[in-house]
């Protein structure tokens, strides 16, 4: 089996298919995000991270499938060190202190530990691409959140245009109609 298939199976074992999320279950959402990243030319590592991006919960989705303090090695064994690091960073991100001025400070604040990490250009691109693609999926599948998310993306995309990959930025601008 591939890492992608192994991660999909592990998500089922952990109950991702039983958790409600925009447009169905968390399991379905995670697969849609991974598929969209694939379509937009993301690396295999980022696609795997997209499939697992809510493993530790997120600032916007507190339910977790894995305990970030004790089970990071479990996830790392399935998707690899680099993809797990993206998943951790995404799940641990304190959105309030990170998102708005990310292009200026290039720093992600960890909501679990209270620490901050300045990202390299490549890590920043992966983080922003995953964030945008996740938000686009929620926008597409959660009509009740659409007005708020649409406004957020209209405000945030211009700030992140230097950070996102061209394909993700083009897709986001198309969806949000910037």
């Amino acid at each position: 089996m591939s890492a992608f298939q192994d991660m999909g199976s592990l998500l089922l074992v952990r109950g991702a298919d039983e958790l409600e999320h925009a447009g169905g279950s968390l399991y379905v959402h995670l697969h849609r995000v991974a598929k969209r990243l694939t379509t937009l030319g993301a690396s295999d590592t980022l696609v795997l991270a997209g499939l697992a991006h809510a493993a530790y919960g997120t600032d916007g989705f507190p339910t977790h499938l894995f305990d970030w303090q004790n089970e990071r090695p479990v996830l790392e064994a399935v998707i690899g060190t680099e993809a797990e690091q993206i998943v951790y960073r995404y799940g641990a991100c304190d959105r309030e202190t990170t998102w708005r001025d990310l292009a200026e400070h290039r720093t992600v604040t960890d909501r679990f530990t209270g620490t901050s990490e300045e990202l390299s250009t490549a890590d920043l691109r992966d983080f922003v691409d995953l964030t945008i693609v996740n938000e686009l999926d929620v926008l597409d599948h959660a009509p009740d959140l659409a007005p708020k998310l649409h406004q957020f993306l209209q405000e945030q995309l211009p700030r992140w245009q230097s950070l996102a990959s061209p394909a993700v930025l083009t897709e986001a601008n198309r969806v949000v109609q910037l």
Side-chain angles (χ1 to χ4, degrees):
M1 286 183 81
S2 71
F4 192 90
Q5 292 168 322
D6 289 346
M7 188 65 225
S9 295
L10 188 54
L11 290 169
L12 289 172
V13 168
R14 294 295 178 115
D17 59 327
E18 298 170 11
L19 295 171
E20 270 190 52
H21 200 281
S25 70
L26 177 60
Y27 182 81
V28 170
H29 164 72
L30 295 170
H31 274 82
R32 285 192 313 253
V33 168
K35 182 179 180 181
R36 195 173 213 160
L37 285 165
T38 300
T39 301
L40 295 171
S43 69
D44 291 344
T45 299
L46 186 55
V47 170
L48 280 170
L51 181 61
H53 74 269
Y56 306 123
T58 70
D59 198 358
F61 187 77
T63 303
H64 62 275
L65 302 172
F66 296 84
D67 177 1
W68 70 270
Q69 291 177 301
N70 299 309
E71 294 187 296
R72 289 185 69 184
V74 173
L75 197 58
E76 186 177 328
V78 176
I79 63 173
T81 303
E82 190 178 348
E84 189 281 332
Q85 180 60 47
I86 295 167
V87 171
Y88 176 82
R89 186 178 293 126
Y90 183 81
C93 173
D94 180 328
R95 294 175 178 185
E96 177 90 18
T97 59
T98 300
W99 280 3
R100 181 172 171 76
D101 299 319
L102 185 59
E104 290 79 32
H105 58 66
R106 305 173 61 89
T107 301
V108 174
T109 300
D110 186 317
R111 68 188 174 98
F112 299 139
T113 66
T115 60
S116 295
E117 173 188 20
E118 186 172 339
L119 303 185
S120 70
T121 299
D123 289 343
L124 196 57
R125 175 158 287 175
D126 284 345
F127 178 79
V128 169
D129 282 358
L130 177 55
T131 300
I132 291 171
V133 169
N134 176 71
E135 296 303 312
L136 290 175
D137 185 73
V138 174
L139 178 66
D140 288 346
H141 296 93
D144 54 323
L145 297 176
K148 181 180 176 182
L149 276 175
H150 195 267
Q151 180 181 347
F152 164 77
L153 287 167
Q154 282 186 317
E155 292 170 4
Q156 202 60 45
L157 287 172
R159 293 185 183 112
W160 286 354
Q161 66 184 1
S162 65
L163 307 177
S165 67
V168 168
L169 192 59
T170 299
E171 171 74 354
N173 286 333
R174 180 192 66 76
V175 171
V176 179
Q177 299 177 341
L178 284 180

